[in-house]
Every structure is written in C-alpha cells, then in structure tokens.
C-alpha cells in the first residue's frame, strides 16, 4: 500500500507540474497535497525548484509511510475480523 501511495504522489506531482498556473498556485497545490509535512518544510525552502525537490522527497516519504500504516491497520483489522468470525 505504501508503494501505491508513493506512486500516486508522484503522479499528482507530475499532473501539477504539467499544468500552467498563474503566480504560485502550483506551489499552493503542492502545499495542500503534502499536508501536514508541508507545514514543516515549506517555510524552509527558498525557490520553487527547491519546493518541488523537497516535496518529491519528503512528501513522497510521508505518503509512503502513511500507506504503510494504512496497510498495517488493514491487515490488523482483517485478522481481527477473521478471528472474531471463528469464535
């Protein structure tokens, strides 16, 4: 699940990068995409290129970790439901 979330993050970044936005709207969409980790890294980056690179690395790691947690929770819930059904 973590790999799927990471892949979706990369696709979303690609879609945002392929669009032309007025001003810094593209950066705003990255900010929303990587919330809440963007609250940490966004004030620290200077240029828009740095924002894209940091978003790809830190945001990608965030979505991968989030996907791993979701996968573990789904596995745990599935095992709990199977255990409850056999009682």
């Amino acid at each position: 699940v973590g790999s799927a979330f990471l892949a979706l993050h990369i696709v979303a970044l690609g879609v945002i990068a392929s669009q032309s936005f007025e001003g810094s709207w593209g950066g705003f969409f990255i900010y929303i995409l990587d919330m809440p980790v963007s609250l940490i890294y966004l004030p620290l980056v200077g240029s828009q290129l740095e924002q894209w690179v940091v978003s790809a690395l830190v945001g990608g790691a965030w979505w991968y970790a989030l996907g791993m947690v979701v996968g573990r929770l789904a596995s745990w819930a599935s095992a709990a439901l199977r255990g409850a059904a056999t009682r």
Side-chain angles (χ1 to χ4, degrees):
V1 176
S3 298
F5 277 28
L6 176 60
L8 287 173
H9 180 262
I10 292 170
V11 167
L13 281 178
V15 168
I16 293 170
S18 70
Q19 304 298 314
S20 60
F21 298 101
E22 185 176 330
S24 61
W25 277 102
F28 176 73
F29 292 129
I30 295 172
Y31 172 76
I32 296 299
L33 176 68
D34 288 343
M35 187 74 87
V37 293
S38 60
L39 293 172
I40 298 167
Y41 72 75
L42 212 56
L44 304 175
V45 296
S47 68
Q48 193 165 3
L49 177 62
E50 288 177 358
Q51 180 183 356
W52 283 96
V53 171
V54 171
S55 176
L57 297 174
V58 177
W62 161 250
W63 282 103
Y64 179 79
L66 189 63
M68 294 299 289
V69 169
V70 168
R72 297 269 167 105
L73 286 174
S75 176
W76 173 78
S78 175
L81 288 174
R82 270 186 267 129
T86 59
R87 292 183 196 175

